[in-house]
Amino acid sequence: MLGDLQAGFRELVSTAIASALRDVGMQLRYRELPAANALAALRSELAEERWAATRRLADLGEKAAVPRLIALLEDAEALEIGVLAGALGRLGDGQAVAPLMAHIESVPTEVGVLIVDALAALDTPEARNALRRILDTHPLEGVRAAAKEHVGTR
């Protein structure tokens, strides 16, 4: 049993390290990528490539990416939701409010806080209402606390 546990742990650590290295490599590769190439990369099978493309598009202020980024939220896991939330917040398009809210209760605290920050960055009436709902009803204290910080400043 100990051997199985050790093998599982080794596999987990190995996978995490490989993903982290791919993520850094992709970010370096995408640092100067034109918007058209980054938009195309949102269709990649590699999550780390999608993350790098997402970050690049946010850096460029590429609002044309918003519908595709919202579509990516649908099947995303928590880490990717966090990356997408950050980019959507930076791009400032209010159509992201409802899709972000669709995930707010299914993610861990850290990602919930990223969603709250994105909603605050959007700064639309819908986003402000969403922040108040989070403050009043979200089950995780850390997420409610993040919403309180933003609601208190408006």
Side-chain angles (χ1 to χ4, degrees), residues 33-57:
L33 198 70
N37 295 41
L39 280 166
L42 291 177
R43 301 193 187 288
S44 174
E45 293 294 317
L46 286 175
E48 298 86 359
E49 188 167 10
R50 292 191 306 273
W51 303 342
T54 297
R55 291 177 184 119
R56 178 65 179 149
L57 292 163

Side-chain angles (χ1 to χ4, degrees), residues 23-44:
D23 187 28
V24 170
M26 290 292 180
Q27 287 184 62
L28 291 171
R29 182 173 152 207
Y30 278 69
R31 190 172 40 191
E32 302 295 325
L33 198 70
N37 295 41
L39 280 166
L42 291 177
R43 301 193 187 288
S44 174

